[in-house]
Amino acid sequence: MRWKDMRESANVEDRRGQGGGGRGGFRLGIGGIIAVVVISLLLGKNPLEMLGLVSQFTGGGQVNQQQAAPAANDEGKQFAARVLGDTEDTWTKLLADNGMAYKAPQLVLFNNPTHSGCGQAVSAIGPFYCPADSTVYLDLGFFRELNQRFGAKGEFAQAYVIAHEVGHHVQNLMGISDKVHRLQKGKGEAAANALSVKLELQADCLAGVWGHYAQSRGLLEAGDLQDALTAAQAIGDDTLQRNAGRNVTPDSFTHGSSAERMQWLQRGFDSGQMQDCNTFGGKG
Ligand SMILES: [Zn+2]
């Protein structure tokens, strides 16, 4: 994948190495401890009890797991910024063709718990898009996991992950996510999950649509699409459940089976038309 030929986005915020704007990353320095003790004494409370309370709220037990900041503007950041920049160019054009303006999302890189508009972002959740602040949250360590744990290697597999989250942003701009969340209310778990699967498969398809244009501009190389399909296969719900030693229960799927995820990614990639990503329209 010729990602170095892609335009670098200015919408990346690098929070790696930061303790985080969220509560989990908050650390009480010695000054803070003295302040708590003074306040406790003023209020007539036991200082140790109050310190315990404070550390409960601030995840005090995680203090030693602080991840360091990598070199500024390292290759990982450049990769994410260039893939994001390329999605901006493609979606600006595609939405303009449909008479809509594209307002690009932000992308936050983090490696310690950090604040998001959807609550605390932690690495274990994996990459996600938060509609409340139109931001993609990404710990680049996920790409290592994708490679080592899920056996999905290659830059285009990583780009697919970013493009999938950007796909959720497009759904948000078009009001699709809101509609689905409204439909999910009051539904049983299986029906709500089925709607979630349609939303996720559509994001896969939209990632494929972006890939179509990256391909047509000569930015992909032989084997790239296969790498992304391997990733889609690896993170299908049935495969994840099977690999976790659990029974495969389709009612509990939230992202779709491996076969479906590959199929919709491929479909978007082949067509390049967002109209072909109607996962909600019955058969298709
Ligand atoms: Zn998703």
Side-chain angles (χ1 to χ4, degrees):
M1 182 179 166
R2 293 172 50 199
W3 61 269
K4 286 184 177 160
D5 292 341
M6 294 177 172
R7 182 183 64 79
E8 191 168 350
S9 168
N11 295 314
V12 176
E13 185 191 336
D14 192 353
R15 291 190 199 161
R16 291 174 299 170
Q18 291 181 19
R23 291 192 191 106
F26 180 80
R27 292 161 73 180
L28 271 188
I30 186 71
I33 292 173
I34 291 170
V36 172
V37 171
V38 170
I39 292 166
S40 315
L41 294 175
L42 285 174
L43 295 174
K45 299 216 176 339
N46 177 350
L48 286 177
E49 228 174 74
M50 267 195 81
L51 277 172
L53 270 178
V54 170
S55 72
Q56 247 178 41
F57 280 111
T58 57
Q62 295 168 10
V63 165
N64 292 330
Q65 293 165 4
Q66 175 96 359
Q67 301 289 316
N73 206 25
D74 62 339
E75 186 146 291
K77 187 203 159 184
Q78 283 177 44
F79 175 80
R82 288 185 187 276
V83 170
L84 185 69
D86 204 69
T87 64
E88 288 167 359
D89 295 348
T90 294
W91 286 113
T92 299
K93 177 164 187 328
L94 287 178
L95 288 204
D97 290 348
N98 287 281
M100 283 179 68
Y102 184 63
K103 195 174 174 314
Q106 299 291 308
L107 188 150
V108 168
L109 295 177
F110 71 100
N111 57 2
N112 293 301
T114 194
H115 174 78
S116 92
C118 299
Q120 185 86 335
V122 294
S123 305
I125 308 174
F128 69 96
Y129 170 74
C130 171
D133 56 12
S134 297
T135 300
V136 175
Y137 290 85
L138 173 65
D139 179 342
L140 292 168
F142 179 76
F143 292 154
R144 206 168 38 244
E145 205 174 333
L146 194 64
N147 187 346
Q148 291 169 359
R149 214 174 99 203
F150 299 113
K153 57 174 175 49
E155 288 158 348
F156 194 61
Q158 302 176 0
Y160 151 64
V161 170
I162 295 174
H164 171 98
E165 301 309 334
V166 171
H168 284 312
H169 177 66
V170 172
Q171 292 174 318
N172 188 28
L173 289 180
M174 302 192 72
I176 298 169
S177 332
D178 267 357
K179 209 163 158 184
V180 168
H181 294 141
R182 268 199 309 275
L183 282 170
Q184 282 175 319
K185 290 215 173 88
K187 288 251 174 20
E189 202 182 330
N193 284 346
L195 284 164
S196 165
V197 166
K198 290 181 182 194
L199 200 63
E200 293 298 331
L201 293 176
Q202 187 173 63
D204 282 339
C205 185
L206 296 174
V209 167
W210 164 74
H212 175 92
Y213 291 98
Q215 161 94 323
S216 70
R217 281 179 288 124
L219 296 167
L220 300 192
E221 293 164 324
D224 277 349
L225 176 62
Q226 191 51 52
D227 285 347
L229 289 170
T230 302
Q233 202 270 336
I235 55 180
D237 286 322
D238 50 343
T239 304
L240 291 176
Q241 289 181 348
R242 208 174 293 118
N243 289 349
R246 306 200 327 253
N247 290 327
V248 174
T249 48
D251 274 0
S252 69
F253 289 0
T254 52
H255 285 68
S257 69
S258 293
E260 289 172 316
R261 298 200 70 167
M262 292 170 77
Q263 182 198 325
W264 282 100
L265 171 62
Q266 177 90 56
R267 186 182 172 119
F269 188 90
D270 288 343
S271 122
Q273 308 270 337
M274 50 194 304
Q275 288 78 1
D276 285 328
C277 293
N278 185 8
T279 53
F280 296 91
K283 289 207 181 299

